[in-house]
Amino acid sequence: AAHGARKMEDYGRFLALLASALLVGFMSVILSLVWVFHYREGLSWDGSLGEFNWHPVLIITGFVFIQGIAIIVYRLPWTWKCSKVLMKFIHAGLNTIAMILAIVSMVAVFEFHNAKNIPNMYSLHSWIGLTAVIFYSLQLFLGFAVFLLPFAPVHLRIALMPIHVYSGLTIFATVIATALMGITEKLIFALKNPAYSASPPEATLVNCLGLLLVIFGSLILWMASRPHWKRPPAENAKILRPIAATPEGTEVESTMTNSNADKSDLRGNTEAARKQNIKFDEAGQRSTM
């Protein structure tokens, strides 16, 4: 009973953190919209300042908020009875949406700069930002190729998993750092009269936006790095699953190790997969899965 109570308490703690992260992320998106509509020139796509404004809005919505959700999607306890393959598609899909929004937001800046004859790619913000986008697209491509498509051998998946996890968390943190550089740069450029140093209301609003981004990042990184909140391996997962599970729901399919197993091979692979799974766990490679 004590164990059950501890589990519920842990579940409650997870839900509280998740709710906080969703609230803070949502507030960040709202504040970015208040900023561009109330203090700046709104949104447009005509080479004016309104086109530039798509950049902060889409980065915060896609590259920060949606990417953050994509990172913790495996950790949602009510998804543990879903097949691992479905969860991988959701993870990949959210990251793909984030990537598309990030690219559109960059196109907006380049077009705006070119329309106004402002040089491109001179600031540290732009250097780190472009680097993050390039690494993110590589991460996405490799993730699809290795973990989603059924061709990569198990040992390759096991070897690449910790690198994939580390890269994902590092890119996410770097994106938040880059966003902070970006909004600081924008405030210094845009606030002339009164200046940024005079702390006008816009400065206070956007400084608060930056604080929210840091809080959001911290919450996501905390949730992603707690080992006891990771998706349980197949052995535990099958307890949560109805007895007469469909082939997708079988323990083999729901593990990363054998998601490429053919339906006809499922029975033969079960034992091998169980051994593989135990090895996988001992290797500590599922640290954030």
Side-chain angles (χ1 to χ4, degrees):
H3 181 64
R6 198 162 64 244
K7 262 206 147 37
M8 282 313 293
E9 185 190 328
D10 204 48
Y11 183 61
R13 205 170 294 153
F14 179 84
L15 286 184
L17 275 170
L18 178 64
S20 309
L22 289 171
L23 181 67
V24 172
F26 188 65
M27 280 170 60
S28 305
V29 173
I30 298 297
L31 277 195
S32 73
L33 288 166
V34 170
W35 179 25
V36 304
F37 279 104
H38 187 67
Y39 292 103
R40 296 284 130 209
E41 303 71 18
L43 295 170
S44 60
W45 199 274
D46 53 10
S48 70
L49 277 159
E51 180 167 353
F52 171 87
N53 290 343
W54 279 106
H55 183 70
V57 169
L58 291 180
I59 288 293
I60 289 166
T61 306
F63 225 15
V64 178
F65 186 47
I66 296 173
Q67 187 188 169
I69 302 309
I71 285 173
I72 55 159
V73 83
Y74 290 106
R75 306 232 146 191
L76 311 175
W78 55 92
T79 67
W80 291 348
K81 2 182 211 315
C82 300
S83 88
K84 183 73 181 269
V85 179
L86 172 65
M87 296 316 297
K88 287 187 196 181
F89 271 106
I90 292 171
H91 177 71
L94 288 170
N95 278 305
T96 305
I97 293 166
M99 181 79 206
I100 292 165
L101 294 181
I103 288 170
V104 172
S105 86
M106 284 179 65
V107 170
V109 175
F110 281 103
E111 282 201 5
F112 167 73
H113 279 182
N114 296 341
K116 294 274 184 281
N117 287 322
I118 300 168
N120 288 308
M121 297 304 301
Y122 65 88
S123 67
L124 181 58
H125 168 73
S126 63
W127 286 24
I128 310 265
L130 185 63
T131 306
V133 169
I134 291 166
F135 276 94
Y136 193 67
S137 47
L138 269 171
Q139 169 89 332
L140 203 57
F141 173 74
L142 276 171
F144 267 107
V146 174
F147 300 112
L148 207 51
L149 297 179
F151 311 120
V154 169
H155 64 83
L156 181 65
R157 292 177 178 207
I158 292 175
L160 285 182
M161 194 69 233
I163 298 168
H164 180 75
V165 168
Y166 173 80
S167 305
L169 297 176
T170 304
I171 292 165
F172 176 66
T174 303
V175 165
I176 289 177
T178 311
L180 298 179
M181 295 161 76
I183 62 181
T184 303
E185 201 177 286
K186 179 65 179 173
L187 287 174
I188 291 171
F189 287 157
L191 292 175
K192 288 286 177 264
N193 200 2
Y196 190 8
S197 56
S199 294
E202 180 179 353
T204 307
L205 176 98
V206 180
N207 286 355
C208 289
L209 169 60
L211 276 174
L212 287 180
L213 296 179
V214 173
I215 294 166
F216 178 73
S218 314
L219 289 168
I220 295 294
L221 293 173
W222 178 257
M223 291 162 79
S225 58
R226 297 308 87 203
H228 57 282
W229 284 336
K230 72 182 181 192
R231 184 185 168 99
E235 272 84 324
N236 312 354
K238 74 179 174 213
I239 299 161
L240 302 168
R241 204 175 281 125
I243 308 301
T246 55
E248 285 83 3
T250 59
E251 65 197 80
V252 178
E253 219 8 346
S254 74
T255 65
M256 158 184 299
T257 51
N258 266 55
S259 52
N260 54 347
D262 204 290
K263 298 286 175 285
S264 59
D265 293 336
L266 280 173
R267 281 162 301 284
N269 278 341
T270 304
E271 200 41 54
R274 190 177 285 121
K275 288 204 182 82
Q276 181 65 65
N277 236 1
I278 292 161
K279 198 168 89 205
F280 208 42
D281 263 24
E282 279 169 0
Q285 305 295 28
R286 313 177 90 249
S287 61
T288 70
M289 291 317 269

